[in-house]
Amino acid sequence: MRSLERASRAPVAPHAADGPRFALRFEEGLGRLVLARELPFALGIVDALELDLGPLRFPLDLSGGAGRFRTRRTRVRAARVRLDLPALLARLVEEPYGLAALAPAQGSLAFALRDAFGTVALDVEARFEGPHLRVVAHGARAVHDGPAPPLVRAVVAARALGLDYEEDRGAIRVERALSAVLREALVPHGWRVPDDRAVSVALEVLGPHRVALATRTDGDDLSRPGPAWERARALAPLVAHLAVGELAEARAAYAALVERGGELDARELGLSPPSGVDAVARCAALRAALREGDVDAAARAALALEQLEPCDAVAIEGLVAAAELAMRPRPALAGKLLERACERGPTEPANALRLVEVATRLGDARELARALELGRAMREPGADRAAFARDAAGLCELAGHRAEAADLYRLAHEHLPADGLVLEGLARAVEREGDLGASLDAWDRAASAWRREGDHEAEARALGAGARVARAIGDLAAAERRFAQAAVRDDRARHWAALAGVRRALDREEAAERAEDRLLAAVAREARLDEAVIDALEAATRHALAHDRVERARAWCAALRRARPEHAALEALEAAIEARDPTPPAAEPTPVADPASSPAAEPGAAVEDETPTTPPAAPAETSTESAEPEAASDAAGGRATTDAPAGTDDDGDALLSRAAATADPEARAALLDAARARFLEAGDAAGAARALARLGVLRRDTTMLRAALAAAEREGAKEIAREIVELALGVVGRGPARFALEAVRDRLRR
């Protein structure tokens, strides 16, 4: 029980008033301490405890009472400790794992293990052999295919939590379990841990949440272990190899198992065809149906599993997995499965959201109202119910149910008045109703909410939306202020394009050109551009031509060609430029006033330009106030220097080399992102995957690493895929995720 020792809390004062009280007794010259009353502690209650003090020398000074033996070596003669399983598991189990006790069956224990791949339900048999507790798991079952069979996932979790797996017996060993528990009860009060090696201990199952450890008077349990122990011993070599990813050795162990006639033992590992009608067989059948994409078979297996499975989490996961498979082809069937999942797990509001999504797809107003009512009933009134209303409103809005979405956003706003998503949804709802003033106010409050959370991208999104509403109202100055702040908060092409457009509408020509130059720099490093940005590139080209600024027009036209080679107006624009100046430049044109390199666009100048000089007329709780100079300098000056590396014409490999030689993490991230964009422009998806993987390592982002590995394998780039796996192994910790990566590495080596 090393994990329990590691997680122990710091001891309290040794003379705490709630400490143990012992009575001192003497028998034949030997001293004994007998617990005078129950001792509650963090993991349960010590009902009885008798400690042997050994021979004592007389005369004794008993002025300190039994407490004078606090640090003396003692031995356990008799003990009984009741343990609260939820408290014990909370102390023992750490993220990314979770472990919950289920209702026991026929005096045995059952647990639900949560790992990164879902829930594994398993039954457990435990017995003491001397002072050590040994546990075997059987009947392991799971809905989702992880990197290993359910039983192996349980063993991997046990090892990750510091428990020992006996590879010769297939049992998990907890060394000196009684002493480990007594340590939790006595050490915080300054008492030495007694020696339990001379006593025999038994485990009693008192209920779904309580067990007891008690000494035996009749010696060790000499009864023959049951079938689960024999099965665990037979599977032990195979499980041990699978748990550490030794696939070749596992195949040999499986062949030896089959040779001995152990196919039925291997069904728990999913290595033999499912048989029988128990929960293990139902889970195996469901996994097979999900792998094959058979909607009807998956639905039948999930419903059958739900009838047999005592673990709610596994039953619900089965129903939800079958519903997700049926979502597109059979939404009505998906709705029935999700309804059953909601009935089985009334504390799982995520399933109610899935049911709302199904109802929006079906387009049935009554079903949608019923799903919304069910979801609200599953959440406590107040913030929890408001959070459900917010999420459901997003689904309704996405499906075009705008009236329902507006009602839900208003309901959510009652309890979440400063939630950015709620305020954005409310702003869209009142804008559709024609109240542009209320919409503008909601967008401003949303921007303020995102600023408080430090989400600059979301703040810029809200500022940009508010600017569009202000422009629709006719207040171009207010629109300019918001677009400028959006560009400062989030240095993206779409914000600079919008800012350039509104400044040109205000006849602020010089300021518009500066915004266009920032736009050109942003376009050079972004792989995907909005249609509004493409339109802004075309407009800037035409404007430069109209004012006989051929070099500027050439730069904008080149940017348009890189961004959209098939643009309809491209040939006409290039012909107009050629007609004005038939002599092409020696190299591809660059921005006339690139803010990353031009002296006229130093950080201070950018702040002066992008921060409005006219103070906005806005309420105190808005985000249209002038941006702080420090934030503006970072976004308008420093970020441009970092995110727009000089030499934007470098190819992806050159940018990767520059990134490897760069010490500053932000600059390296910008170079890697630019390299990824260059590879994508060149049609080199494998190179883009390599750049994305290096960016994922820099940011320790496993989502990026998974996407990069998937892209490399999709392109058939085995060398790059191997490189990505090695990079990912340096990021992930211990557990099933590492096992999965090592399995991929072994597969790629073949």
Side-chain angles (χ1 to χ4, degrees), residues 147-161:
L151 182 59
V152 179
R153 287 162 59 185
V155 171
V156 170
R159 282 179 163 173
L161 296 172

Side-chain angles (χ1 to χ4, degrees), residues 391-687:
D391 298 339
L395 292 172
C396 291
E397 189 175 23
L398 192 63
H401 298 273
R402 293 178 173 177
E404 291 85 352
D407 292 340
L408 288 167
Y409 279 128
R410 288 187 170 93
L411 174 64
H413 186 253
E414 293 177 7
H415 296 284
L416 298 174
D419 185 283
L421 290 175
V422 172
L423 289 166
E424 287 187 1
L426 190 61
R428 290 190 295 269
V430 295
E431 182 180 352
R432 284 191 292 265
E433 294 168 0
D435 192 344
L436 298 184
S439 176
L440 181 59
D441 176 67
W443 282 119
D444 288 344
R445 288 191 289 131
S448 293
W450 292 124
R451 181 191 297 176
R452 286 192 296 271
E453 293 187 16
D455 191 337
H456 296 310
E457 184 177 350
E459 181 187 355
R461 181 182 66 233
L463 285 167
R468 285 188 288 275
V469 174
R471 191 168 187 173
I473 293 174
D475 190 348
L476 294 182
E480 182 198 9
R481 288 195 298 272
R482 288 168 173 82
F483 278 135
Q485 290 182 39
V488 167
R489 293 290 187 269
D490 186 26
D491 191 9
R492 302 286 184 90
R494 61 176 178 268
H495 302 310
W496 295 112
L499 180 60
V502 75
R503 282 180 172 174
R504 187 146 283 138
L506 285 167
D507 293 327
R508 295 188 61 199
E509 190 61 33
E510 185 178 349
E513 287 191 2
R514 287 197 298 271
E516 286 176 341
D517 291 337
R518 298 301 301 273
L519 167 62
L520 198 59
V523 166
R525 66 175 182 271
E526 292 185 23
R528 296 178 182 175
L529 300 173
D530 299 340
E531 284 301 321
V533 176
I534 300 298
D535 293 342
L537 294 176
E538 180 186 356
T541 307
R542 294 186 184 281
H543 186 270
L545 282 171
H547 290 77
D548 291 325
R549 302 179 67 179
V550 179
E551 286 304 315
R552 188 175 181 85
R554 194 186 299 277
W556 284 105
C557 193
L560 180 60
R561 173 167 287 283
R562 284 197 303 269
R564 190 66 58 83
E566 71 281 4
H567 194 279
L570 192 58
E571 291 185 7
L573 291 172
E574 289 176 335
I577 293 170
E578 186 70 18
R580 301 286 180 91
D581 183 7
T583 305
E588 185 174 312
T590 55
V592 176
D594 186 350
S597 58
S598 173
E602 293 297 324
V607 175
E608 182 180 355
D609 172 36
E610 306 313 335
T611 305
T613 56
T614 306
E621 183 58 28
T622 71
S623 61
T624 58
E625 57 193 84
S626 297
E628 298 87 344
E630 294 82 359
S633 175
D634 175 64
R639 189 184 302 172
T641 304
T642 300
D643 291 349
T648 51
D649 293 332
D650 288 348
D651 62 12
D653 289 320
L655 288 169
L656 284 181
S657 299
R658 289 176 58 190
T662 302
D664 180 57
E666 292 298 326
R668 193 186 315 155
L671 286 165
L672 290 171
D673 198 34
R676 181 184 62 84
R678 284 288 179 267
F679 281 124
L680 288 174
E681 289 173 2
D684 185 357

Side-chain angles (χ1 to χ4, degrees), residues 309-387:
E309 179 55 62
C311 175
D312 289 337
V314 170
I316 291 169
E317 283 181 15
L319 292 166
V320 171
E324 289 179 347
L325 183 64
M327 190 77 76
R328 290 183 181 276
R330 304 274 298 280
L333 175 60
K336 292 179 180 178
L337 292 168
L338 288 171
E339 275 192 48
R340 186 69 194 110
C342 290
E343 293 172 4
R344 181 73 182 255
T347 59
E348 298 283 344
N351 295 329
L353 280 176
R354 291 188 178 97
L355 187 58
V356 170
E357 183 181 359
V358 170
T360 59
R361 291 190 180 194
L362 290 172
D364 188 327
R366 288 188 302 174
E367 287 296 324
L368 178 57
R370 185 167 176 270
L372 291 172
E373 184 61 32
L374 178 62
R376 284 194 290 265
M378 292 171 69
R379 303 299 293 264
E380 291 292 330
D384 283 349
R385 188 170 293 177

Side-chain angles (χ1 to χ4, degrees), residues 91-109:
R91 180 73 64 87
L92 179 66
V93 181
E94 301 172 350
E95 289 292 339
Y97 297 103
L99 193 62
L102 305 175
Q106 299 177 350
S108 63
L109 292 168

